[in-house]
């Protein structure tokens, strides 16, 4: 993980765009990272659709989810999710809260998402459920109060993922790349699990869930730096970014192109 603040901000903006591009986030949902120089703060965009987020949108918050500088833009209503989890989990450096279409059938039906293929093992053996109704009664289902965020963090416990009944999911990671991988693999896993369960309804196939030993061994693979690095490069390319500092290479290409075209016009060369 880059240690300079600006690099982390660029990486966070790219993580937003990747998760938007891969169908984890849409107009809603958000991703944050702990401040690289101050574990008592975190970085999160202003209220904006993740696919559109740029480095200039990123703001700094205390772990009470108060903006460090007076805000000039709307803030995400559910930012307490991030602050409360950073308070409860010193090992967590990145968090994503989302309502991905792949997970919604499971959290609506109250059916656990469990690992059904090797990369799906990144979500852990069986993510816990959290139901806001249990502790807070009727709400608008948004996690906006500190006590709601703290309750969610308790339900997450030491897990990498918590499922939120009738709402979505929250995923954590040791760094941004691990988080992005886990969030995307979780959605792929949910899609495969649902399809496999539908097939099972018509056959007498074995349970699609990975055995405990396979979850442990395959889960370790999905966290390897070369696996996380390879997927990050692939998803960055799909969203049109090169690496953690995505804007630099694309600007260079834009400057070179017209010069080459001008040279071709001068010499009369074609293709
Ligand atoms: Mn939400």
């Amino acid at each position: 993980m880059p240690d300079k603040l600006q690099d982390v901000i660029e990486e966070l903006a790219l993580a937003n765009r990747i998760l938007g591009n891969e169908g984890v986030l849409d107009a809603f949902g958000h991703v944050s990272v702990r401040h690289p120089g101050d574990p008592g703060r975190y970085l999160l965009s202003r209220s904006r659709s993740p696919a559109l987020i740029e480095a200039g949108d990123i703001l700094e918050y205390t772990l009470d989810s108060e903006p460090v500088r007076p805000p000039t833009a709307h803030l995400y209503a559910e930012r307490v999710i991030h602050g409360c989890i950073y308070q409860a989990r010193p090992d967590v450096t990145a968090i994503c809260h989302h309502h991905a279409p792949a997970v919604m059938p499971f959290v609506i039906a109250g059916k656990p998402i469990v690992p059904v293929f090797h990369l799906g093992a990144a979500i852990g053996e069986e993510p816990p459920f959290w139901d806001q109704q249990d502790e807070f009664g009727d709400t608008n289902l948004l996690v906006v109060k500190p006590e709601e965020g703290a309750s969610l963090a308790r339900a997450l416990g030491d897990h990498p993922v918590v499922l939120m009944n009738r709402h979505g999911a929250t995923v954590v990671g040791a760094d941004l790349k691990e988080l992005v991988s886990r969030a995307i693999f979780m959605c792929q896993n949910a899609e495969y699990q649902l399809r496999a369960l539908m097939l099972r309804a018509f056959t007498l196939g074995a349970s699609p869930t990975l055995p405990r030993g396979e979850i442990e061994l395959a889960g370790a693979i999905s966290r390897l730096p070369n696996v996380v690095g390879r997927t990050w490069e692939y998803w960055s390319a799909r969203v049109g970014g090169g690496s953690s500092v995505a804007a630099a290479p694309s600007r260079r290409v834009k400057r070179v192109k017209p010069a080459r075209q001008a040279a071709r016009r001068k010499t009369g060369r074609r293709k």
Side-chain angles (χ1 to χ4, degrees):
M1 182 168 168
D3 54 6
K4 289 181 191 165
L5 178 59
Q6 192 55 38
D7 285 352
V8 173
I9 288 172
E10 297 277 0
E11 193 173 85
L12 176 58
L14 179 54
N16 272 276
R17 298 196 297 273
I18 287 174
L19 291 171
N21 192 54
E22 299 299 328
V24 178
L25 306 174
D26 48 23
F28 301 101
H30 19 85
V31 52
S32 70
V33 67
R34 201 186 286 269
H35 192 294
D38 182 353
R41 292 183 179 179
Y42 68 92
L43 305 167
L44 175 72
S45 172
R46 68 183 172 97
S47 178
R48 195 177 193 196
S49 298
L52 307 176
I53 286 169
E54 297 166 4
D57 297 314
I58 305 299
L59 304 173
E60 199 173 315
Y61 295 89
T62 66
L63 295 196
D64 291 328
S65 296
E66 293 297 329
V68 170
R69 291 166 201 87
T72 56
H74 281 291
L75 308 179
Y76 288 128
E78 291 192 298
R79 62 188 182 278
V80 294
I81 291 173
H82 302 263
C84 288
I85 291 175
Y86 287 126
Q87 285 183 42
R89 289 279 301 269
D91 60 312
V92 165
T93 301
I95 300 171
C96 173
H97 167 64
H98 68 80
H99 325 123
V103 309
M104 290 310 293
F106 289 88
V107 299
I108 292 167
K111 173 89 182 170
I113 298 175
V114 293
V116 294
F117 81 120
H118 65 303
L119 296 169
I123 66 173
E125 201 170 328
E126 186 170 329
F129 269 102
W130 177 73
D131 194 327
Q132 195 161 344
Q133 177 82 31
D134 289 345
E135 210 172 320
F136 303 100
D138 288 345
T139 65
N140 61 7
L141 286 170
L142 298 181
V143 183
V144 293
K145 296 177 182 168
E147 56 269 34
E148 292 167 343
S151 172
L152 177 66
R154 279 195 300 276
L156 171 70
D158 292 330
H159 295 267
V161 169
V162 59
L163 300 171
M164 301 158 72
N165 292 78
R166 305 176 306 286
H167 182 159
T170 299
V171 187
V172 304
D175 60 48
L176 265 173
K177 290 178 184 174
E178 182 184 290
L179 171 78
V180 165
S181 294
R182 180 170 287 143
I184 292 171
F185 294 150
M186 179 185 180
C187 290
Q188 291 176 353
N189 189 93
E191 285 172 8
Y192 298 154
Q193 185 181 342
L194 184 61
R195 291 179 205 171
L197 287 169
M198 287 192 287
L199 281 176
R200 272 193 76 217
F202 297 99
T203 65
L204 294 173
S207 163
T209 310
L210 295 186
R212 180 174 292 178
E214 287 185 3
I215 293 171
E216 198 174 307
L217 294 169
I221 286 178
S222 69
R223 291 190 296 274
L224 291 175
N226 64 328
V227 173
V228 171
R230 186 161 128 190
T231 49
W232 179 268
E233 184 185 28
Y234 169 67
W235 291 320
S236 297
R238 278 165 59 86
V239 79
S243 63
S244 59
V245 185
S250 58
R251 274 204 300 272
R252 195 159 59 239
V253 168
K254 274 177 193 163
R255 280 201 301 275
V256 169
K257 230 178 181 177
R260 275 189 189 150
Q261 284 164 352
R264 284 195 193 115
R265 277 198 297 274
K266 271 186 189 170
T267 57
R269 274 171 56 208
R270 301 218 177 150
K271 277 210 170 172

